[in-house]
Amino acid sequence: MVILLLGVVKLPVEEAATRYLREVKLLSAPLDMSVRDSIGQMGIAASLGGMRSLVASLTYLQAYDSWANVDWARVDSYFRLTTTLQPRYDKYWDEAAWHMAYNAATNYLGRTELNPAVRGKLFHDHIQRGVDILQEGLRVLPQSTRLWNTLAEVYERRVVDPTKAGDAYLKVYELSKDVRYARLSAYQYASTSDPALWQKAYDLLKVSYDQNKKTPSLINVMKQLEEKLKVPMEKRIKEDVVPMGQGMMGPQ
């Protein structure tokens, strides 16, 4: 009876301690039923035994095996398991998104045995799947510069949405304080049709200009923006447009 009473008293204390440890990220959340169904009994036993990172490594390897067999559905499924088991490791989210937004999307676009409309839909669906993975990862790891940078690149190169790409690059700059990302953000804003974003781009580039980081791409975009924004002649930068020869590096 005494032991039973002690157990009743102890249970709320242990539950509160568990909640606290999960809130401060010192204890992982329990697996949900869908994950338990997917990884099998051996995987469940290993996970509950404190070996979640090992099980995640195995599902990660299975994802790559599926990639070698060009089985995109299984690649996505195994990466879902991997990121569920180890949600605080941004490399897993990053690679999962890369496989969907680049490898799977490009593969479907090139499959000429499919109807062109179907190929196009699969292409865009898998790019969006990559975006969704990154956004899900950022809900877990909002300070990850790696995930913000990959999201910016996907918006720039795959979705072709310069406003969202600029916002994501700017987030990398805010987190890292690396002005290169402020310039990348500015180049994206400068390519929009929004005058407010042109001004934002000019202000961001002016910071690098004042720090004497006067690359040809920076000079040229600032000159273009001065024309668009009708900046008074006396306030414009002194440099002329720089000829962009072959082999010259892109925006830096």
Side-chain angles (χ1 to χ4, degrees):
M1 179 61 76
V2 173
I3 294 175
L4 180 62
L5 289 173
L6 285 174
V8 171
V9 172
K10 187 180 172 186
L11 185 59
V13 176
E14 289 184 340
E15 288 180 343
T18 300
R19 282 198 300 273
Y20 171 75
L21 290 173
R22 284 178 179 148
E23 288 173 1
V24 298
K25 314 300 183 188
L26 293 176
L27 188 65
S28 299
L31 299 178
D32 64 29
M33 290 304 294
S34 61
V35 176
R36 295 180 189 187
D37 291 343
S38 300
I39 63 178
Q41 291 184 351
M42 292 294 289
I44 293 171
S47 299
L48 296 179
M51 300 174 68
R52 288 175 68 159
S53 62
L54 175 60
V55 178
S57 297
L58 294 174
T59 56
Y60 174 76
L61 292 174
Q62 287 175 305
Y64 267 81
D65 185 58
S66 300
W67 172 50
N69 291 312
V70 199
D71 188 339
W72 302 116
R74 291 178 73 82
V75 170
D76 194 21
S77 295
Y78 280 123
F79 266 113
R80 281 178 191 267
L81 289 173
T82 306
T83 53
T84 301
L85 289 163
Q86 287 287 286
R88 304 196 63 75
Y89 189 33
D90 60 3
K91 181 175 183 289
Y92 287 151
W93 295 105
D94 190 26
E95 290 194 31
W98 171 67
H99 277 297
M100 292 297 107
Y102 291 89
N103 294 337
T106 300
N107 177 264
Y108 280 118
L109 193 62
R111 290 174 62 167
T112 54
E113 77 275 19
L114 299 175
N115 179 295
V118 174
R119 287 159 51 194
K121 184 177 188 309
L122 289 170
F123 174 74
H124 291 292
D125 285 351
H126 284 79
I127 290 174
Q128 184 58 47
R129 175 64 189 141
V131 170
D132 292 343
I133 290 170
L134 291 166
Q135 291 176 334
E136 188 179 351
L138 284 167
R139 283 193 285 275
V140 180
L141 301 166
Q143 306 298 312
S144 171
T145 54
R146 179 179 192 150
L147 295 186
W148 280 113
N149 182 58
T150 302
L151 182 62
E153 290 176 347
V154 172
Y155 278 138
E156 177 186 356
R157 301 168 187 174
R158 307 298 274 177
V159 182
V160 193
D161 186 329
T163 300
K164 289 183 177 178
D167 291 345
Y169 278 128
L170 193 58
K171 188 67 179 179
V172 181
Y173 166 62
E174 291 170 356
L175 291 169
S176 67
K177 306 305 178 190
D178 184 340
V179 294
R180 175 173 175 269
Y181 292 100
R183 295 197 294 275
L184 292 176
S185 173
Y187 296 140
Q188 292 300 308
Y189 290 149
S191 68
T192 69
S193 57
D194 185 344
L197 291 180
W198 298 343
Q199 184 63 58
K200 191 172 183 176
Y202 192 81
D203 294 342
L204 288 168
L205 294 177
K206 189 67 164 50
V207 172
S208 285
Y209 179 85
D210 290 342
Q211 294 176 349
N212 209 31
K213 293 181 172 58
K214 302 175 183 178
T215 64
S217 52
L218 180 142
I219 296 295
N220 289 349
V221 174
M222 288 190 75
K223 299 303 293 183
Q224 293 167 11
L225 289 170
E226 285 175 341
E227 291 295 325
K228 290 180 177 179
L229 294 168
K230 302 187 187 311
V231 175
M233 293 302 296
E234 66 274 16
K235 292 186 177 179
R236 297 188 179 192
I237 60 174
K238 63 182 180 181
E239 289 82 359
D240 294 325
V241 171
V242 181
M244 300 289 281
Q246 280 191 335
M248 185 169 285
M249 293 180 65
Q252 292 291 315

